[in-house]
Amino acid sequence: LAAARRALVLQDPVLAEELLELAGPPSYESWLTLGTARTARGMVDDADLALAAAAETAENDEERARALSRRGINLTTGAGRFEEAAILLAAGLETVDDPRWRSFVAADLAYVRLWLGQRDGAMTAWAGDSVPDVVRANECLAGAVISAMAGELTDAERLVAEGLPLAPSITADVPMARELLTLSRFLTLAFGGDHESAVRVLDIELERVLGGPDGASGTWLAARAVQRLIDGDL
């Protein structure tokens, strides 16, 4: 199971599924990891079935929140089914009592609603102090994207700076957490007109990932294309 999670961080979901076959009887964690692997492979409906199984076997608010979050991300990232994801997350939020884990789900709901043209407000300090790192990491992750897309670049950079040290805490749920936070930093620099710093981020990340898994290199090649579009280099 640990090896399967590691394979997901390395963006090799096929290997993750192969390893999960060796992980013993199905459990909450194995269903969650299987769903995450299938999301990464674009198998949206199969992923949702696995993540729904994880939700059904959840024994506490943390497990319910993590399964809900994964289901929402699968529907949006995998299929662009934003309205369906918003309904799912809003209904699921009512099943989570712990305010810390409600905030974890609320961050994903705010992200989904952004794509429906709705704004849930600032996310710079949602859960308050003394929350698990993984909760605040999810707030920072969603909040950085929301703030960057809203043009609130100072808030976006603040959330990226806070979220990056917390990224290891959320890789079991969001294997590309570091990638997404750094991408938010690039967008903040690009949208803010800081060409030199934006290009520096691209150079560093492309050197790091080229020759590695296709998913990581694809992300940064796409970001390079965005930068050249902003520069007018069609």
Side-chain angles (χ1 to χ4, degrees):
L1 184 56
R5 290 177 183 149
R6 178 62 181 159
L8 285 177
V9 173
L10 297 173
Q11 298 182 49
D12 192 339
V14 174
L15 176 58
E17 286 205 47
E18 291 173 355
L19 289 163
L20 284 169
E21 293 177 5
L22 307 174
S27 65
Y28 168 82
E29 290 292 345
S30 65
W31 282 122
L32 194 72
T33 306
L34 178 61
T36 304
R38 288 179 173 171
T39 295
R41 295 182 64 187
M43 302 165 65
V44 176
D45 291 333
D46 287 341
D48 191 60
L49 288 173
L51 295 168
E56 289 170 7
T57 57
E59 296 182 352
N60 52 53
D61 279 345
E62 174 183 348
E63 292 183 349
R64 274 187 288 276
R66 290 174 62 207
L68 276 167
S69 173
R70 285 283 87 205
R71 289 189 75 187
I73 290 172
N74 173 58
L75 291 172
T76 53
T77 303
R81 288 151 58 177
F82 297 106
E83 291 186 0
E84 186 179 342
I87 292 169
L88 172 77
L89 290 169
L93 193 59
E94 299 306 310
T95 70
V96 180
D97 296 322
D98 187 324
R100 301 170 302 173
W101 291 101
R102 284 181 62 84
S103 187
F104 185 88
V105 177
D108 290 306
L109 181 56
Y111 172 81
V112 171
R113 284 177 171 164
L114 175 72
W115 298 105
L116 297 172
Q118 303 166 16
R119 184 71 194 276
D120 281 8
M123 297 182 62
T124 51
W126 268 21
D129 298 327
S130 303
V131 298
D133 284 351
V134 63
V135 172
R136 187 56 185 160
N138 204 42
E139 290 180 339
C140 289
L141 188 59
V145 175
I146 290 170
S147 296
M149 298 302 290
E152 297 163 357
L153 305 184
T154 300
D155 284 345
E157 175 53 34
R158 186 184 306 124
L159 287 160
V160 170
E162 184 184 353
L164 279 171
L166 301 175
S169 70
I170 202 173
T171 52
D173 297 275
V174 188
M176 288 186 66
R178 180 201 172 279
E179 217 82 40
L180 293 170
L181 283 163
T182 308
L183 184 62
S184 295
R185 170 166 284 164
F186 159 73
L187 291 173
T188 299
L189 294 168
F191 293 162
D194 189 345
H195 170 88
E196 190 172 307
S197 297
V199 170
R200 189 180 306 118
V201 169
L202 289 173
D203 288 342
I204 290 170
E205 295 304 315
L206 277 168
E207 183 177 356
R208 180 178 66 85
V209 300
L210 282 178
D214 289 343
S217 55
T219 296
W220 291 107
L221 289 167
R224 172 78 83 190
V226 170
Q227 181 61 54
R228 290 189 171 152
L229 181 63
I230 291 171
D231 293 342
D233 183 358
L234 304 186

